[in-house]
Amino acid sequence: MKEAKADVQNPRVVTMDNSSSKPMANGKPRVPMRDRMRGLILSVSLQSALQIAAGTFVACLFTFVRPISFPQSCAVATLFLVVSVMSSPNNHLGTRINAAAGLVGCTWIGAVPAAVVATIAKIPGPGAASTGIYMALGAVAIALLSINRVGSSPPTLWRLGMTSCLAFGLVALSTWKLQTIVQVWSITGYLVLVSVISAVVSTLAAALVMPTLATEQVHHVLADVLHSAGLSTSRYAASLFRARARQQTCHHQQQQQQHDDRQHKDAYIYGAMSAVALEQQL
């Protein structure tokens, strides 16, 4: 029997084992190209890459295509990545919808207080009073929003808190140089619209590009658990039956040995008695 060996001059050269049709490379069976391509197509990495690429392309259209662009539209791509990457632990459609809803809600929580602070700061007019109101009320508001930012329960709380702080900062910085209260609330409304568009784009990317559901993963995990449990049960049962069969074999061998000993003993006694009887006759 010849084993597959790599060429000394070229380690990548492999030979075929006469007893097997599978090629060997460096002592390990080589995975067929079809199986590798299938694993790549069904991998989570490719799913994430395609969903993020498609969603980012659509999100950037609101920045580069003038007829659909509007103030703050450049943030659509940023908030899309927040939903798809930071707020979604996996690529399932239900998880992405939950993250999209959380983005819209957290944007409201951060943008409205920033608009209220900017509205109060515009009342005295430009000057030191307006700057003082911005600094005082802004610090208080961002401190309250930061409580969720440093939270740990539930595990996604810090992501939601980060979104609120991001929305507050975007509105506060965007309204700093504005003159009227109408402009302040207009910018706030545009930012909320940005969050809605980002949420919709993220959800559509998860629904149209290699979509998956959490129930499918649960089915696969449950099938693996049942398969592993079946293999373990079969292995333990085979070990028990093998031990029982070994005991029965040993017992049978002992009985056979005892039977043979009795036959030998009976044959010896019969031979001895025959010899004695023959001597008496003679």
Side-chain angles (χ1 to χ4, degrees), residues 256-275:
Q256 185 67 28
Q257 183 67 30
Q258 292 176 359
H259 179 70
D260 294 341
D261 293 341
R262 283 196 300 268
Q263 287 183 346
H264 290 311
K265 185 177 180 180
D266 293 341
Y268 176 77
I269 295 174
Y270 178 77
M273 292 178 63
S274 299

Side-chain angles (χ1 to χ4, degrees), residues 86-89 95 98-99 102 106 148-149 151-163:
M86 301 190 65
S87 300
S88 300
T95 303
N98 188 22
C106 293
N148 290 338
R149 176 65 180 83
S152 59
S153 180
T156 57
L157 181 61
W158 70 271
R159 302 185 185 96
L160 302 178
M162 180 199 65
T163 304

